[in-house]
Amino acid sequence: MDATTLVVILAGTLTALTGGLMFCFAVANNLALKLVDDRTYVNVVQKTNLRIVNPVFLPAFLGPVVLLPLATILAAGTGAFGWLLAASIAYVVGPFGVTVSQNIPLNKRLDAVDVRTASDAELAAARGWFEQPWIARHTVRTVLGVVAIVLVLIGATQL
């Protein structure tokens, strides 16, 4: 196996792990959270924000930011180049870009809410400005994450 193939496989695997996580949030976690009261919602989202930054998640999330463009460069002159370039753009704009520019700022704002002392009205207001905007942005990053996975897989067949 040559270096290009190895990098494409690693980039694709990490892209799929992150895209899969986002898909799971979209089709399970977010749906479950819709069913809980405001205090539970804010508390669970805050705990998720705290726990997701860990040594297993971070390489899967950040790896494609480096590995997809590297795979693209290594695949220059092959049929995979355009597919991998498109995958790089989809991932950097979607899962990475939307997360950093949109979801994380919302998370940080929600993290500032003190669940222990906030009134029911304050928790309802926090959920109100957080939940739907966060889900809308999450949908964009999920769709682009799945698109990136498909593009990497197609690119891998064109090496």
Side-chain angles (χ1 to χ4, degrees), residues 17-82:
L17 288 170
T18 298
L21 172 72
M22 292 182 177
F23 177 78
C24 212
F25 262 87
V27 302
N29 293 32
N30 291 342
L31 298 177
L33 285 170
K34 285 181 185 248
L35 304 175
V36 301
D37 64 86
D38 297 334
R39 186 170 306 277
T40 301
Y41 180 89
V42 172
N43 193 30
V44 169
V45 172
Q46 286 177 341
K47 286 184 179 0
T48 302
N49 292 343
L50 182 64
R51 298 292 185 263
I52 196 145
V53 180
N54 66 66
V56 176
F57 170 74
L58 285 176
F61 178 67
L62 297 173
V65 175
V66 174
L67 293 173
L68 286 171
L70 176 60
T72 303
I73 292 165
L74 293 173
T78 72
F81 178 81

Side-chain angles (χ1 to χ4, degrees), residues 68-135:
L68 286 171
L70 176 60
T72 303
I73 292 165
L74 293 173
T78 72
F81 178 81
W83 297 105
L84 294 173
L85 178 60
S88 299
I89 293 167
Y91 188 88
V92 169
V93 168
F96 180 75
V98 172
T99 298
V100 171
S101 69
Q102 303 294 314
N103 291 86
I104 289 175
L106 280 170
N107 292 349
K108 287 183 177 185
R109 184 175 170 201
L110 189 69
D111 288 343
V113 174
D114 188 341
V115 176
R116 295 167 297 151
T117 61
S119 68
D120 289 345
E122 290 168 325
L123 291 166
R127 185 176 187 171
W129 56 253
F130 178 86
E131 186 174 26
Q132 289 310 312
W134 192 94
I135 289 172

